[in-house]
Amino acid sequence: YAGTIKHGGSDTWDSGFVSTENLVELMNRSQIVLSHQGHDPWLNRVESKVTCVRMREFEVPMTGGLLITSFCPDLQKYYSIGKEVLCYRSSDDLYDTIMYLQHNRDKMEAIREAGWTKASCEHTWEKRYDQLSKSFFV
């Protein structure tokens, strides 16, 4: 959501959604991109723990951003949690993770790089089309 990106290079702030071009730029210049997968981003309520893998989990690493998202068991099918992307289970966990990364820039860079490598090698549209076509024409 926009409140963080300038509109058209002027001093006014955009109040709508970020365009695709600006979203990529915003993710590229961010040290950490925070995402959540449930209706309650801090997962404080038991009934809020229904999660799913979304496009954002692929978009952020593909732009070279470091992704921290709420834990989703299915994300483990696509990434090595803790090595290529990071997950949190509570607001305290999220805070501790961000503080750790701020004091360990080399670790932050290693995770960001590993996420980009995995995404650019295994999670491209071409790879998805190949997987889909193989499943139909076996």
Side-chain angles (χ1 to χ4, degrees):
Y1 200 69
T4 57
I5 192 163
K6 288 188 176 185
H7 175 63
S10 71
D11 291 328
T12 60
W13 294 95
D14 188 347
S15 60
F17 288 94
V18 177
S19 69
T20 301
E21 295 80 19
N22 287 340
L23 181 62
V24 170
E25 177 207 347
L26 183 61
M27 286 191 273
N28 276 327
R29 63 185 168 117
S30 299
Q31 292 180 19
I32 296 170
V33 178
L34 177 62
S35 181
H36 67 89
Q37 300 180 3
H39 294 289
D40 178 0
W42 310 117
L43 301 176
N44 292 318
R45 297 186 310 266
V46 172
E47 64 272 13
S48 297
K49 292 190 179 183
V50 176
T51 61
C52 64
V53 177
R54 301 167 306 136
M55 287 298 297
R56 187 71 71 229
E57 283 72 52
F58 300 100
E59 292 168 338
V60 173
M62 285 296 279
T63 66
L66 175 81
L67 175 68
I68 303 178
T69 188
S70 53
F71 179 76
C72 171
D74 287 338
L75 193 56
Q76 298 172 104
K77 295 176 185 176
Y78 303 100
Y79 293 103
S80 175
I81 307 296
K83 293 182 181 179
E84 297 166 336
V85 298
L86 299 174
C87 295
Y88 63 92
R89 294 179 187 261
S90 68
S91 55
D92 288 340
D93 187 23
L94 174 61
Y95 176 82
D96 291 344
T97 300
I98 291 172
M99 289 299 101
Y100 172 80
L101 292 171
Q102 290 296 310
H103 292 96
N104 294 280
R105 300 291 180 146
D106 55 336
K107 183 71 171 174
M108 182 171 24
E109 180 61 22
I111 295 168
R112 186 203 64 73
E113 180 71 27
W116 178 83
T117 300
K118 174 63 81 74
S120 63
C121 291
E122 296 184 21
H123 303 310
T124 64
W125 284 114
E126 291 83 8
K127 292 281 185 179
R128 292 293 178 260
Y129 288 132
D130 286 345
Q131 292 168 345
L132 186 60
S133 66
K134 288 176 185 174
S135 67
F136 281 127
F137 304 109
V138 175

